[in-house]
Amino acid sequence: QSVLTQPPSVSGAPGQRVTISCTGSSSNIGTHSDVHWYQHFPGTAPKLLIYGNNNRPSGVPDRFSGSKSGTSASLAITGLQAEDEADYYCQSYDSSLSGSVVFGGGTKVTVL
Amino acid sequence: QVQLVESGGGVVQPGRSLRLSCAASGFIFSNNAMNWVRQAPGKGLEWVAYISYDGNNKYYADSVKGRFTISRDNSKKKLYLQMNSLRAEDTAVFYCVRERMALRGCLDIWGQGTMVTVSS
């Protein structure tokens, strides 16, 4: 069981907006620990999608956005495209686990 | 360009050892902390180990503590993971991952991964 909780799957039609939630606790997201998001196509290297809660690395389309509030975070994809079908993981840092990076269980985004 | 290339994966019997390597290029390796992250078949991402930029600080997931050792050679721009007493549940793709400078826990560059299969 993952330290951070994500829904196993979300889906939407092309052009729609979907959101992925990431729920943590007072020892990880609820502290000053940043939340980062990764996009992963099976068989390839995961890619940093959002860092520091709401920042996009160069080259990431602005239809991807992140937010954080309290012990939760979320990733939004607006104007969903077929190429966005992938697995998405949230990740933070847990102060109760020595040196520990913690991941969510991952969310499969399906474009209908 | 910035690149991480893992090697050393393969099929190994339970209880045996394996050493993974990761060759870095395209950036100043000694500036960044590094991590190993794995993904078991059909499962999500799991952080395995961390090493600071100078090798002085190391942390491990509870699932591998006492069995795995992370190390680095900054002169060779290489990261290592020594895995001992391997178990079937260690079967996974292992990724070498760079940590972004000044942003603890942000994993900004990932290698393609190397597969480790523990089976008799």
Side-chain angles (χ1 to χ4, degrees):
Chain A
Q1 190 164 345
S2 302
V3 173
L4 306 180
T5 301
Q6 299 179 233
S9 63
V10 298
S11 62
Q16 282 190 329
R17 179 179 188 268
V18 297
T19 61
I20 301 170
S21 61
C22 175
T23 303
S25 69
S26 57
S27 64
N28 41 68
I29 297 178
T31 66
H32 294 297
S33 298
D34 288 322
V35 177
H36 317 292
W37 291 88
Y38 303 88
Q39 179 187 55
H40 188 206
F41 297 100
T44 70
K47 170 189 168 184
L48 178 65
L49 193 66
I50 297 288
Y51 69 93
N53 306 316
N54 55 14
N55 300 287
R56 287 184 307 276
S58 174
V60 173
D62 60 7
R63 64 176 184 276
F64 293 95
S65 62
S67 63
K68 172 187 163 181
S69 179
T71 58
S72 295
S74 64
L75 173 72
I77 310 175
T78 56
L80 192 64
Q81 299 184 6
E83 68 206 51
D84 299 332
E85 187 163 296
D87 298 318
Y88 294 82
Y89 293 88
C90 63
Q91 176 252 308
S92 188
Y93 178 81
D94 198 300
S95 59
S96 71
L97 305 169
S98 180
S100 196
V101 163
V102 290
F103 285 97
T107 299
K108 170 70 176 181
V109 169
T110 300
V111 182
L112 301 173
Chain B
Q1 75 277 25
V2 176
Q3 195 172 12
L4 297 169
V5 179
E6 304 93 338
S7 61
V11 180
V12 62
Q13 293 179 328
R16 304 298 291 263
S17 299
L18 205 59
R19 188 198 199 201
L20 304 183
S21 298
C22 170
S25 59
F27 66 102
I28 302 174
F29 182 68
S30 58
N31 281 352
N32 292 79
M34 298 293 295
N35 294 263
W36 288 97
V37 174
R38 68 183 178 183
Q39 184 178 34
K43 303 292 186 180
L45 300 174
E46 179 191 16
W47 170 77
V48 173
Y50 161 95
I51 186 167
S52 59
Y53 71 98
D54 57 2
N56 286 340
N57 293 294
K58 303 176 185 181
Y59 302 112
Y60 300 91
D62 286 345
S63 57
V64 307
K65 202 172 293 183
R67 300 188 299 122
F68 290 12
T69 302
I70 190 171
S71 62
R72 65 190 298 160
D73 185 333
N74 284 344
S75 66
K76 295 182 178 178
K77 303 181 73 172
K78 284 202 166 181
L79 177 72
Y80 304 100
L81 186 68
Q82 177 66 42
M83 305 185 293
N84 299 331
S85 303
L86 283 161
R87 306 167 180 167
E89 55 264 37
D90 294 318
T91 295
V93 175
F94 282 74
Y95 295 100
C96 168
V97 192
R98 187 182 83 169
E99 192 159 300
R100 185 179 173 116
M101 285 177 62
L103 191 56
R104 179 72 175 94
C106 177
L107 309 177
D108 67 345
I109 301 293
W110 296 62
Q112 287 294 319
T114 187
M115 183 72 202
V116 172
T117 302
V118 183
S119 174
S120 54

